[in-house]
Amino acid sequence: MQPLAESKPVQSRRAAARNGLSVKWFLLFWMIVIGIGMYAVYSYTNHLKQQVLSELSTQSQQQLTVLKTDYEARIATLSEEVKALQNTVQTFNELLTFTKDNQSAKTDNSNKLYTQLSEVRKQLDALKKEMDLLK
């Protein structure tokens, strides 16, 4: 009977060793699966982050382009207005010079022209300040 008694503990040790080995493989398998899952989540979040950053960059470039064209259009409009006012000032200067040269003792229209010229210069200065603010 002793041989039977000895064989049972050996068999139970072998079964326990096999069970312990299968538990180790099962735990190792789940650890690998969890590690692969964590790597996949990390990679996917990095991919989404890059995608969002590229979309934001594209949108900001489009908005900057729109702002730049609007700014350039405003500057062009103001430049044209300044040129028109400069031409008006030049015309008034020539007219004022002509009236001063031809002024007689009976009429004094130069004061009226000087007043108009002064008003035009004020408008020109205001437009220049506005243009400087836009720059």
Side-chain angles (χ1 to χ4, degrees):
M1 284 204 173
Q2 279 188 359
L4 286 177
E6 287 181 18
S7 67
K8 284 186 181 181
V10 171
Q11 286 178 353
S12 65
R13 280 188 227 145
R14 286 183 186 166
R18 272 190 255 137
N19 286 342
L21 187 60
S22 65
V23 168
K24 289 178 185 176
W25 281 107
F26 179 76
L27 289 176
L28 180 65
F29 170 75
W30 277 109
M31 289 172 66
I32 290 172
V33 168
I34 290 171
I36 290 171
M38 290 174 66
Y39 176 75
V41 167
Y42 177 76
S43 297
Y44 185 66
T45 55
N46 278 342
H47 170 72
L48 287 178
K49 182 173 132 183
Q50 290 299 324
Q51 188 176 9
V52 167
L53 286 175
S54 67
E55 287 176 7
L56 284 175
S57 175
T58 303
Q59 287 177 356
S60 64
Q61 286 296 339
Q62 289 172 349
Q63 289 175 350
L64 283 174
T65 303
V66 167
L67 287 175
K68 183 179 177 184
T69 55
D70 184 46
Y71 172 76
E72 288 173 354
R74 285 185 180 180
I75 291 292
T77 303
L78 285 176
S79 295
E80 290 173 7
E81 288 178 8
V82 166
K83 286 179 184 177
L85 280 175
Q86 283 177 340
N87 288 337
T88 306
V89 167
Q90 184 63 30
T91 304
F92 280 135
N93 258 344
E94 291 172 2
L95 189 57
L96 184 59
T97 304
F98 177 75
T99 55
K100 280 184 181 180
D101 290 343
N102 294 328
Q103 183 179 16
S104 67
K106 295 181 182 177
T107 60
D108 191 16
N109 291 331
S110 62
N111 287 337
K112 292 178 187 177
L113 289 174
Y114 185 75
T115 304
Q116 289 175 351
L117 182 62
S118 175
E119 290 174 7
V120 170
R121 281 191 182 165
K122 287 179 186 177
Q123 289 177 354
L124 180 63
D125 289 338
L127 278 174
K128 282 183 181 179
K129 286 179 184 177
E130 193 173 320
M131 195 163 127
D132 288 339
L133 287 176
L134 283 176
K135 286 183 181 180

